[in-house]
Amino acid sequence: MAVTVKIPTPLRGLTGDQDTASVPASDLRGVVTSLEGTFPGMQERLLDDSGELRRFVNIYVNGEDVRFLQGLASALKDNDEISIVPAVAGGC
C-alpha cells in the first residue's frame, strides 16, 4: 500500500527538491519511517526526542489534522494524501 506525501519547501533540501514522495505505510509512523529510510534526516525534523510529532509540525491525512485523529497511529489506506505543514510564526 502506498500513500503520497506532500513535502513542504523547507524540507525539500532532504528530498533533492522533490515536492512529493510515494511511500509504503499503513499508519503515519510508518510514513515517517519510510521517509527517513529514503531521505535521511527527515525523522529528526518531524519528531521530537520522545518520538512524537514536533509542536511546530502539522500533518494532515486527506485534509484532516492528525492531532484530531490518532496522531502517529492514524491508520492509512492506499492512495491517501499526507501533507506536512510546518507552522509559521511572525508578524508585527
Side-chain angles (χ1 to χ4, degrees):
M1 165 172 51
V3 298
T4 300
V5 182
K6 290 184 170 186
I7 308 295
T9 303
L11 296 177
R12 289 184 192 161
L14 297 173
T15 67
D17 219 25
Q18 292 179 25
D19 60 356
T20 62
S22 180
V23 298
S26 60
D27 63 18
L28 194 55
R29 190 170 296 281
V31 168
V32 174
T33 300
S34 292
L35 286 172
E36 177 65 21
T38 306
F39 309 112
M42 189 70 75
Q43 183 170 310
E44 71 184 65
R45 287 173 179 81
L46 300 177
L47 304 182
D48 62 20
D49 292 337
S50 67
E52 296 302 317
L53 280 178
R54 292 188 179 277
R55 289 183 331 134
F56 58 84
V57 174
N58 300 304
I59 298 184
Y60 298 87
V61 175
N62 301 321
E64 294 287 328
D65 189 333
V66 299
R67 287 182 167 87
F68 299 108
L69 298 173
Q70 288 81 39
L72 291 172
S74 297
L76 303 173
K77 53 191 181 322
D78 205 24
N79 298 316
D80 276 350
E81 184 177 271
I82 312 304
S83 299
I84 301 171
V85 182
V88 177
C92 306

